[in-house]
C-alpha cells in the first residue's frame, strides 16, 4: 500500500495567553479544546472552549476545571468527556441540552488522554504524581529516568462508572487506545 499523504490545510490559533492540550472535532467542523489560561507563568482555572469559523472561540458551559487535559466527543455527538489531571476526575458535559446535569467520576490517578473502545467504553490513560514533580522530572530535562506510575482505566459512560483500572508500573503513561485486539499505550517519555 502507498504511504499516507499529508497536506497542510491551515490552523486555528488559540486565544492569546492560553495553552492547549487536547482537541476533538465534530463532523461539521466545530472544534472543542482543553485550554488553560496562563498568567505570569502560572496556570489559571481553565476549561473547554469551542471554536467555529463563524463565531471564533467561546467557553463551554460546565467545563471549568483545574488543568483540563484529555477530551473526547461521544460517538452520538451530544456529550463531551473531559479529564482534569489535578482534580482527578473525568467530567461528562452535555452539549446543546440546557438544564441537563453535568456528571463526573473520580479517577484514582491523574487522568490524561481519553479514547473510545470499539464497544463504546471510554479509556483513560494517566499517571500518579504531583504536577510540579512530573513537570520538573519530565518536562524540563532529557533524562530518560522520567518514571511515574502509569495507569489505564475503562469507564462505562451510561452509569459513568469505572469498570476496570490497571496499574502499569513506572511507565509515565499518558494515553491508551484500542487497536484491533490490542491496547496501545502512550507515554510522555
Amino acid at each position: 500500500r502507498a504511504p499516507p499523504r499529508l497536506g497542510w490545510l491551515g490552523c486555528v490559533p488559540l486565544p492569546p495567553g492560553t495553552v492547549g492540550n487536547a482537541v476533538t472535532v465534530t463532523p461539521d467542523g466545530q472544534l472543542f479544546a482543553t485550554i488553560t489560561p496562563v498568567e505570569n507563568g502560572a496556570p489559571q482555572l481553565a476549561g473547554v472552549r469551542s471554536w467555529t469559523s463563524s463565531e471564533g472561540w467561546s467557553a463551554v458551559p460546565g467545563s471549568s476545571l483545574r488543568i483540563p487535559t484529555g477530551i473526547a466527543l461521544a460517538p452520538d455527538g451530544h456529550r463531551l468527556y473531559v479529564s482534569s489531571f489535578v482534580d482527578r476526575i473525568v467530567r461528562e458535559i452535555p452539549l446543546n441540552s440546557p438544564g441537563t446535569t453535568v456528571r463526573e467520576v473520580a479517577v484514582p490517578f491523574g487522568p490524561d488522554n481519553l479514547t473510545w473502545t470499539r464497544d463504546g467504553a471510554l479509556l483513560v490513560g494517566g499517571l500518579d504524581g504531583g504536577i510540579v514533580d512530573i513537570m520538573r522530572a519530565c518536562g524540563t530535562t532529557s533524562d530518560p529516568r522520567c518514571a511515574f506510575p502509569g495507569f489505564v482505566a475503562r469507564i462505562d459512560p451510561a452509569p459513568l462508572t469505572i469498570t476496570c483500572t490497571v496499574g502499569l508500573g513506572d511507565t509515565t503513561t499518558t494515553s491508551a487506545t484500542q487497536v484491533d485486539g490490542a491496547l496501545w499505550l502512550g507515554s510522555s517519555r
Side-chain angles (χ1 to χ4, degrees):
R1 298 186 343 209
R5 294 177 44 168
L6 302 175
W8 180 258
L9 296 177
C11 65
V12 177
L14 292 174
T18 65
V19 294
N21 192 311
V23 65
T24 189
V25 63
T26 63
D28 66 356
Q30 182 177 9
L31 298 177
F32 291 96
T34 56
I35 295 180
T36 301
V38 177
E39 291 180 15
N40 298 320
Q44 305 299 307
L45 186 61
V48 176
R49 301 233 183 132
S50 168
W51 179 90
T52 63
S53 59
S54 61
E55 302 291 323
W57 289 105
S58 61
V60 173
S63 72
S64 286
L65 293 162
R66 294 184 302 156
I67 308 181
T69 46
I71 190 168
L73 181 67
D76 66 8
H78 296 294
R79 294 168 315 285
L80 283 175
Y81 293 86
V82 181
S83 60
S84 170
F85 187 90
V86 174
D87 295 322
R88 292 185 173 223
I89 61 167
V90 172
R91 181 176 290 170
E92 177 190 72
I93 302 168
L95 299 174
N96 305 318
S97 302
T100 305
T101 303
V102 171
R103 302 185 307 161
E104 56 189 40
V105 60
V107 180
F109 54 87
D112 200 346
N113 294 297
L114 307 170
T115 61
W116 291 101
T117 64
R118 290 186 316 228
D119 65 354
L122 195 59
L123 289 180
V124 183
L127 58 151
D128 196 16
I131 191 79
V132 172
D133 296 333
I134 293 167
M135 293 308 291
R136 280 190 186 135
C138 304
T140 60
T141 179
S142 60
D143 187 337
R145 292 173 295 176
C146 169
F148 289 85
F151 296 87
V152 64
R154 179 183 166 96
I155 296 176
D156 181 342
L160 201 60
T161 57
I162 294 177
T163 59
C164 178
T165 302
V166 177
L168 304 168
D170 285 340
T171 58
T172 315
T173 302
T174 57
S175 60
T177 192
Q178 183 179 16
V179 178
D180 297 323
L183 189 62
W184 286 61
L185 303 170
S187 172
S188 63
R189 191 46 104 207

